[in-house]
Amino acid sequence: MGKAARREARERLKQQRLKEQQKAKRNRVLLVVGAAVVVVALVVAVGYFVVMRDRGGGDVELPPQALQTDGSVVLADSGADAPVLEIYADYQCPACKQFETATGSAIQEMAAAGEVIVHYRPVSIFALRGEPLGSNSLRGGAAARAAADAGKFVEYNDVLFENQPAEGSAGFSPDELKQWGEDIGIDDPAFAERVDAESEVADRFAQDYAPELLEKAQGELGADSISTMPVTDLIAWGDENGVDSSFLDDTYVLEILEATGAVNERYDGENAFAGTPSVYLNGAKMGNEMYSASSLRSAVAEAEPGEPQSTPAEDTDTGADGEGAGGDAGASPSPSTSPSADAKE
């Protein structure tokens, strides 16, 4: 074999070895990538399982929903002996939706199992914040109160948070609110009529009344004073100073506003209400653990039995004395020094 032929043979062998090395390298890469994909899939699957276990999944058979005279709703079996979880939320509040998404199912499961008495107290921290926040907040809250008349508050509460309008965007239109009621089985025409009526009141409050009230109050009281006044105190001041609130009489919008003012009086000190969501376990304000279903379950499991601080509406005709589950006093009777209902979430 000549020199040229030997060089060609060596070159062919060199190229063949190079191809074999490249093929082996590709196979190693594919093996590593394939293993990584399997690991990622396992992590995702385990993570999903943990999240669903943490949040709770599937429908549960809810215990009775008892409307209270102040418009709040207690979710518990009759005579339940369990801790009380008191939830203050605004349907326009993004953090409230985060709380509901993280723990709503778990809370309902605990109530269904008799492990906790849930006391829902819708409020409006956005009532005086202008459009569209103010009217969204009040329309949502008043519609939830109307759903409570039909015994569907909890289901409607879930739907409102699922459909919460983006902050700064108009939402919770009367047509939507009525349709959502139909979707969860509310077929009483009184619900739709009430939603329409309350929506008009909410729009009037947010678009006309609140701007007039705030302008007059800022001129005479100053912004600093207004910022520390519960919304109901500001409304009372307006009535004494030529800003008529009588259009609110006997409305669910007023109930939501009164609930917002009442929490400022109910809690003070380290338990003071400072925005939504605010969650109290037997009267003690919870921290960030309320956003974790597993942490919330643990806290409830360690708590002593309690009693809701409100009066069941059905007891008003039987002379309930207002004690225990019928009491309308808060867990903390001291005057509140907490921020006004305008506190940010």
Side-chain angles (χ1 to χ4, degrees), residues 86-326:
E86 193 177 15
I87 302 170
Y88 292 88
D90 183 323
Y91 292 110
Q92 177 59 86
C93 164
C96 296
K97 180 176 182 177
Q98 179 185 353
F99 168 75
E100 172 69 19
T101 300
T103 64
S105 295
I107 289 171
Q108 292 176 19
E109 288 175 0
M110 286 190 288
E115 298 169 358
V116 72
I117 298 169
V118 187
H119 197 169
Y120 293 97
R121 291 185 179 273
V123 294
S124 176
I125 64 168
F126 291 113
L128 299 175
R129 294 279 296 277
E131 285 283 65
L133 290 174
S135 58
N136 285 354
S137 171
L138 291 171
R139 279 196 304 274
R145 172 62 182 85
D149 287 335
K152 293 282 189 177
F153 171 86
V154 177
E155 297 88 340
Y156 202 76
N157 172 84
D158 294 349
V159 171
L160 286 176
F161 279 122
E162 289 171 5
N163 293 279
Q164 183 184 84
E167 194 168 358
S169 300
F172 291 156
S173 72
D175 287 343
E176 290 175 328
L177 295 169
K178 290 182 288 187
Q179 182 60 55
W180 297 332
E182 292 182 14
D183 293 343
I184 62 170
I186 301 178
D187 54 11
D188 187 347
F191 172 77
E193 294 170 3
R194 191 81 196 211
V195 166
D196 283 333
E198 295 292 336
S199 294
E200 292 180 5
V201 174
D203 289 347
R204 179 176 175 182
F205 182 96
Q207 297 170 10
D208 301 320
Y209 174 82
E212 179 185 358
L213 176 64
L214 288 173
E215 181 179 7
K216 190 173 186 67
Q218 287 173 354
E220 299 188 23
L221 299 176
D224 290 342
S225 294
I226 294 174
S227 67
T228 61
M229 292 178 69
V231 62
T232 44
D233 288 358
L234 188 58
I235 290 172
W237 179 90
D239 284 331
E240 296 174 354
N241 289 272
V243 187
D244 183 19
S245 69
S246 61
F247 72 97
L248 292 170
D249 292 348
D250 301 319
T251 67
Y252 291 165
V253 168
L254 181 59
E255 281 193 7
I256 297 297
L257 294 169
E258 288 177 339
T260 312
V263 65
N264 285 278
E265 299 177 358
R266 184 172 291 118
Y267 293 108
D268 64 359
E270 63 182 10
N271 289 322
F273 177 76
T276 56
S278 283
V279 179
Y280 297 84
L281 183 57
N282 286 346
K285 190 174 184 178
M286 301 191 72
N288 288 334
E289 71 273 16
M290 70 182 181
Y291 289 100
S292 165
S294 58
S295 296
L296 188 57
R297 287 180 186 274
S298 296
V300 167
E302 295 171 2
E304 297 294 326
E307 294 181 334
Q309 300 300 307
S310 58
T311 305
E314 63 182 16
D315 289 351
T316 57
D317 296 329
T318 59
D321 62 8
E323 295 299 323

